[in-house]
């Protein structure tokens, strides 16, 4: 008996359970993305789904799970002309965030391929997940190159592995399920669209539900087997209902009226492409089958829209996901067909994941008096903590600031419209996390050289290997056309790509920046840089300084949403403690170098360069603080916010002390003449020469 937490024992979270069950009924729906804060049982519910899926018939001995009824003609273990069949439980394969490409797609034995001329292929996680579930926890933290491989496999239903003329193809059709904490960063739009449905989860604020969550979690931890046994009846009944819905699914009719509502809804909400229409159609059909009906109603279309459209409406990473339900209802009503009623006496079962225990079961919760733990209805979680980060990546909520607090403080102003910025990069060659900003040694990218491999060979440099083996062929007794290759001849390719950086913003919020039009432009510029950081897969942090001191408004995080929210609430006023802001930024970078030494920082100081607070000689203190960053080798850019016909050029002086460059707000735009990358590199060269 499984010791996973039972699916039917999960308290509340109706949308999540419904989305998972609809995919169990119809895998063609396309998977689920689960968004929510840490500790809301996202991973627990997903893992519990695997025990509800029916067994999968497979060709006996096939490592790629071919279906005996229609085996893959190109299967590497084939051909399967007369194939004995067997059955196994549906698999749920977990893809770790730090997995390598070889672990995902499989690995070729390069040495055997070169020496013996045979294909020796070890299947990866994509092959294991074929005809099952591929689960990615913290999917928003997955490396870009792995996301690209997932996109290709999800789109084509197969995986290709090609290495130096040796290629393998195998089927890879799977249900993609991902969980993520939005505070740790958003997904690329291309991957976001690959998930059929999305749900938002949050812990219940109702004390009774929270009590029930804790009670069940403690009971499970004390004796997992006994707890699972007490829910075995409900699990079995739910498994039978899934099987019945699967059997009914081919008989469900999607009428013209429902199709028109689906098309009108997708058009009204301006979603890109046609995938949303297709996913909505499949989801509405699965909803009808789950409810035991053979016709799709407006209610099915409405529920399908609430699950399939919110994540497809995001135009930029700062747009909150969601759907205007009033607009949805108006659209459905406008295109409602004339005959949508059910026959008299037909039941209207709740489309949600009703508990298999009968009336009152409510999503797997047993009726009053049945089972060990009766639970109140509604949303909640089972209390299992997810494996996400809950340390430095989580930014504290900004403390409420009463109106008029602080001398000379002005209310926060709205940011101007963001624009496309020129690229800022860190000079030199790094080895940090994969991204799209600065040059770095990476597993992917253009080949720049070759070295002897350390450990297993993963990226063969064929030309260098042949050159190393060629001089020894006579001594090795070569007699035929084949090349005699030994382990010492193998060469690993070195490659250069791009890395993500830590972009730390130090923003001047003093009185000299407080003019409404000016601060609005400054916020718009920082917001533009945050958008650029999102696209380049950076971590970001925000330090602000005003009055007498500086504060860390946002510790370094992958969530540009959080940075944008802090920026929007930023008030202004008071003196300019420039030295305090630079020292605070220095402290943040010092800690981050210890925590993540391979991720190189880029300091972006947004100021007019004035220093009027922080000591008896604020200008000298600011220069001394700037030289600390220069001594650490931190790449820096000063965004000069000084305006007006008379300019003092103080931001340029600060940039020279930092060993970086200064650019104006106008020069920050991508269509301006100034070359920011050249400026940053020139500043670094000047500092090295000095």
């Amino acid at each position: 008996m499984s010791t996973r937490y039972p699916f039917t024992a999960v308290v509340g979270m109706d949308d999540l359970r419904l989305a998972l069950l609809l995919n169990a009924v119809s895998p063609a729906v396309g998977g689920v993305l689960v968004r929510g804060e840490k500790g809301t049982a996202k991973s627990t519910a997903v893992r519990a789904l695997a025990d509800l899926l029916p067994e999968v018939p497979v060709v006996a001995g096939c490592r790629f799970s071919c279906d005996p009824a229609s085996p893959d003609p190109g299967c590497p273990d084939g051909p399967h002309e007369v194939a004995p069949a067997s059955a196994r439980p549906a698999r749920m394969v977990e893809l770790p965030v730090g997995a390598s490409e070889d672990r995902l797609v499989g690995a070729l034995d390069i040495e055997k391929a070169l020496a013996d001329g045979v294909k020796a292929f070890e299947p990866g996680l994509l092959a294991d997940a074929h005809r099952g579930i591929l689960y990615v926890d913290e999917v928003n933290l997955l490396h870009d190159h792995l996301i690209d491989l997932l996109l290709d496999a999800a789109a084509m239903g197969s995986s290709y592995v090609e290495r130096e003329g040796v290629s393998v193809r195998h089927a890879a059709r799977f249900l993609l399920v991902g969980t993520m904490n939005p505070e740790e960063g958003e997904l690329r739009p291309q991957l976001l669209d690959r998930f059929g449905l999305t749900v938002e989860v949050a812990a219940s604020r109702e004390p009774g539900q929270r009590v029930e969550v804790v009670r069940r979690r403690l009971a499970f931890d004390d004796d997992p087997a006994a707890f699972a046994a007490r829910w075995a009846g409900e699990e079995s009944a739910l498994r039978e209902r899934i099987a019945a819905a699967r059997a009914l699914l081919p008989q469900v009719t999607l009428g013209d009226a429902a199709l028109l509502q689906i098309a009108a809804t997708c058009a009204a909400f301006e979603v890109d492409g046609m995938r949303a229409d297709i996913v909505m159609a499949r989801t509405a059909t699965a909803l009808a089958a789950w409810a035991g009906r053979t016709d799709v109603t407006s209610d099915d279309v409405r529920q399908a829209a609430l699950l399939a459209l919110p994540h497809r409406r995001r135009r930029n990473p700062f747009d909150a996901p969601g759907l205007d339900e009033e607009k949805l209802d108006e659209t459905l009503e406008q295109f409602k067909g004339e005959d949508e009623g059910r026959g008299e006496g037909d039941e209207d079962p709740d489309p949600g994941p009703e508990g298999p225990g009968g009336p009152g079961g409510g999503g797997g919760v047993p009726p009053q008096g049945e089972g060990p733990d009766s639970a109140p209805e509604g949303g909640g979680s089972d209390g299992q903590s997810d494996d996400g980060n809950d340390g430095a990546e989580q930014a504290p909520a900004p403390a409420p600031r009463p109106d008029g607090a602080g001398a000379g403080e002005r209310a926060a102003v709205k940011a101007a419209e963001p624009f496309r910025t020129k690229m800022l990069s860190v000079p030199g060659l790094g080895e940090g996390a994969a991204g799209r900003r600065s040059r770095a040694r990476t597993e992917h990218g253009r080949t720049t050289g070759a070295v002897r491999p350390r450990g297993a060979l993963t990226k063969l440099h064929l030309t260098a290997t042949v050159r190393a083996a060629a001089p020894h062929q006579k001594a090795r007794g070569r007699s035929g056309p084949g090349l005699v290759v030994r382990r010492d001849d193998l060469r690993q390719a070195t490659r250069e790509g791009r890395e993500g950086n830590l972009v730390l913003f130090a923003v001047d919020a003093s009185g000299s920046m407080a003019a409404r039009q000016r601060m609005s432009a400054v916020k718009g510029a920082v917001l533009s840089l945050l958008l650029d950081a999102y696209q380049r897969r950076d971590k970001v942090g925000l330090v602000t300084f005003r009055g007498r001191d500086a504060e860390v408004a946002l510790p370094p995080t992958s969530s540009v949403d959080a940075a944008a929210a802090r920026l929007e609430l930023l008030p202004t006023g008071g003196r300019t403690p420039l030295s305090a802001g630079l020292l605070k930024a220095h402290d943040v970078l010092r800690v981050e170098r210890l925590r993540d030494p391979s991720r190189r920082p880029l300091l972006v100081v947004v100021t007019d360069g004035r220093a009027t607070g922080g000591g008896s000689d604020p200008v000298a203190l600011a220069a001394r603080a700037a030289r600390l960053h220069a001594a650490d080798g931190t790449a820096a850019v000063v965004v000069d916010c000084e305006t007006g016909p008379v300019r003092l050029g103080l931001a340029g002086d600060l940039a020279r002390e930092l060993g970086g460059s200064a650019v104006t707000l106008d020069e920050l735009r991508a269509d301006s003449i100034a070359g920011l990358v050249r400026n940053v590199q020139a500043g670094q060269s000047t500092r090295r020469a000095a």
Side-chain angles (χ1 to χ4, degrees), residues 578-594:
L578 180 56
S579 60
L582 294 174
L583 289 173
K584 183 69 71 175
H586 185 266
D587 289 342
V588 171
L589 294 180
R590 177 180 55 82
V591 173
E592 282 302 305
R593 283 189 178 95
L594 297 175

Side-chain angles (χ1 to χ4, degrees), residues 437 499-501 503 532-533 536-540 557-558 599:
R437 183 172 296 279
E499 68 176 358
N501 298 107
V503 182
D532 183 68
R536 301 190 187 281
R537 308 283 284 178
D538 295 318
K539 289 176 70 173
V540 297
T557 174
S558 296
R599 189 182 289 268

Side-chain angles (χ1 to χ4, degrees), residues 579 611-622 624:
S579 60
T612 60
S616 57
D617 191 349
V619 175
L621 288 173
R624 192 179 308 163

